[in-house]
Amino acid sequence: MELPHIGKNCQLEHCHSLGIWKLFIDAEVACPLCQQTYCGEHRLPLDHSCSQWSRVDKQLVQCDTCQHLVKAPDAEKLTPEASLEKHKASNCKFYLYPPNGPIPKINRQCTVKGCKDIDPRVGPIRCDGCEEDFCLRHRHPSAHRCKSLNDDEDRKRDRKLAAQEKVAKTFTPPVKKPKIKSVAVKSKNGGMVELMKIKSQAKGSASVPTSSRIYLYVQCPKESKLDFQSVYFDKLNSVGKALDLIADTCKVNNKNHTLSPTDPERLELYKCPEMAVLDKSCSLEKCLKNLDTVLLERQGSVSIEEDNDQ
């Protein structure tokens, strides 16, 4: 970014670039012949078609090492070529033009390969992105393909990904929650007549005292191809024990003792119609009551439906 309050504009008609000479030296840079101010690219007489070039009788030459004008004193009567040779031999210190206020040679060169355009008056300009020295023409990151440009692209990409992630978390689309498809209960009204009816047909162990019995309807697994069963158990028994007895009644292979809790072949006892999995360590009287319906089924065979409610 240029600083409009510092320096002067290049006086070349088609340029007018703003100079920044006062940032680096006390005096403004001007053409040594016509004394007009120019930018770094047009500072030398040959770069701006200097109107005073002819009056020096073509005795000025430009050093390709320090990029400055060279002229030997008239008393030495040296040719321009000889002046340039002695100038270079003096490590670019002698025969500088104009002779007043000699300009020291800048040892550091522009980092861009093959470029020797560092102005002796201004000196090298350090890039904040890569911390390398450049001439005026290559001082901008885009002009020397600065590595900081890639860093900027990485930061932009990271900010974009972070923004997308935040938007995704803020505007999460509704998720359809899966739920177990309910199974109809066998009991109609749960009244005394219903209880008397199930007591007359329920199957169970005769050793269970009448006062300790709990009467249930059992929906057998699909693989058993059996319909509802009316059974009774000791209400003090655990759900796990009742599951084993029901599996025997339905004649299905029960390998729960060898299967992991998430194995699809594992048998579970579900309370209908809410299809809640019964805790195997819980006693029957704590989680069930007379005339309740339970379903024995393998985890992987339970029907699933989508619930749109949130």
Side-chain angles (χ1 to χ4, degrees):
M1 178 177 179
E2 303 290 356
L3 304 176
H5 61 286
I6 297 177
K8 292 184 178 180
N9 292 85
C10 176
Q11 295 185 13
L12 192 66
E13 184 177 355
H14 66 271
C15 181
H16 295 297
S17 296
L18 183 65
I20 56 172
W21 314 114
K22 282 192 175 182
L23 290 175
F24 307 98
I25 59 176
D26 294 333
E28 293 185 3
V29 171
C31 172
L33 301 180
C34 65
Q35 301 302 311
Q36 298 295 314
T37 303
Y38 296 97
C39 66
E41 292 185 6
H42 303 124
R43 69 189 186 281
L44 298 178
L46 294 177
D47 295 329
H48 60 265
S49 301
C50 182
S51 60
Q52 302 299 315
W53 179 248
S54 59
R55 75 179 179 85
V56 297
D57 297 326
K58 300 294 186 297
Q59 295 301 306
L60 293 179
V61 291
Q62 183 177 356
C63 175
D64 58 359
T65 301
C66 69
Q67 305 297 315
H68 202 70
L69 295 177
V70 175
K71 184 177 185 298
D74 295 338
E76 296 189 19
K77 297 181 180 181
L78 295 176
T79 63
E81 291 75 14
S83 300
L84 180 60
E85 185 176 347
K86 285 193 174 186
H87 166 76
K88 289 184 177 180
S90 69
N91 200 21
C92 295
K93 293 181 180 179
F94 297 161
Y95 302 155
L96 294 173
Y97 187 88
N100 296 328
I103 302 172
K105 178 186 176 183
I106 299 298
N107 292 324
R108 284 175 292 178
Q109 298 297 319
C110 179
T111 305
V112 175
K113 187 176 181 181
C115 179
K116 298 180 180 180
D117 288 345
I118 288 184
D119 194 299
R121 295 180 183 272
V122 177
I125 299 175
R126 173 140 307 190
C127 173
D128 293 334
C130 59
E131 298 184 350
E132 297 285 353
D133 294 333
F134 297 94
C135 66
L136 288 172
R137 184 158 54 93
H138 295 124
R139 70 187 187 276
H140 296 299
S142 58
H144 61 264
R145 297 182 180 179
C146 183
K147 64 180 182 181
S148 64
L149 296 177
N150 294 331
D151 296 338
D152 291 341
E153 291 299 323
D154 292 340
R155 285 193 291 269
K156 290 179 182 178
R157 184 177 64 254
D158 292 341
R159 288 197 297 268
K160 182 178 180 180
L161 292 176
Q164 290 175 343
E165 183 177 353
K166 187 174 181 179
V167 169
K169 290 181 179 179
T170 305
F171 302 100
T172 304
V175 178
K176 294 182 179 181
K177 299 179 181 179
K179 70 176 183 179
I180 299 175
K181 191 173 183 179
S182 61
V183 174
V185 296
K186 181 69 174 177
S187 177
K188 300 298 183 183
N189 50 43
M192 185 61 66
V193 175
E194 184 81 17
L195 182 59
M196 291 177 61
K197 182 178 179 181
I198 193 175
K199 284 182 178 181
S200 65
Q201 53 186 281
K203 299 178 182 179
S205 175
S207 62
V208 178
T210 304
S211 59
S212 188
R213 294 178 180 179
I214 182 172
Y215 295 88
L216 303 172
Y217 292 111
V218 175
Q219 172 64 60
C220 298
K222 295 178 181 179
E223 63 187 86
S224 69
K225 298 181 181 180
L226 296 177
D227 201 358
F228 277 96
Q229 300 288 317
S230 302
V231 298
Y232 66 83
F233 302 102
D234 190 329
K235 60 185 177 182
L236 300 179
N237 285 346
S238 66
V239 171
K241 185 173 182 179
L243 185 150
D244 293 336
L245 294 173
I246 294 173
D248 291 340
T249 301
C250 297
K251 298 180 181 180
V252 294
N253 191 8
N254 181 10
K255 295 183 179 180
N256 278 9
H257 63 287
T258 63
L259 301 176
S260 68
T262 58
D263 194 299
E265 291 298 310
R266 188 176 181 83
L267 288 169
E268 295 290 354
L269 203 59
Y270 299 88
K271 182 180 179 181
C272 304
E274 55 266 43
M275 300 302 292
V277 178
L278 297 175
D279 184 356
K280 296 179 181 61
S281 62
C282 182
S283 64
L284 293 174
E285 66 176 348
K286 288 184 178 181
C287 53
L288 295 171
K289 64 181 183 301
N290 283 327
L291 303 177
D292 276 348
T293 299
V294 294
L295 166 67
L296 179 68
E297 190 57 271
R298 302 191 187 278
Q299 289 185 137
S301 300
V302 174
S303 299
I304 300 296
E305 64 181 6
E306 290 183 341
D307 182 10
N308 292 324
D309 297 334
Q310 300 297 311

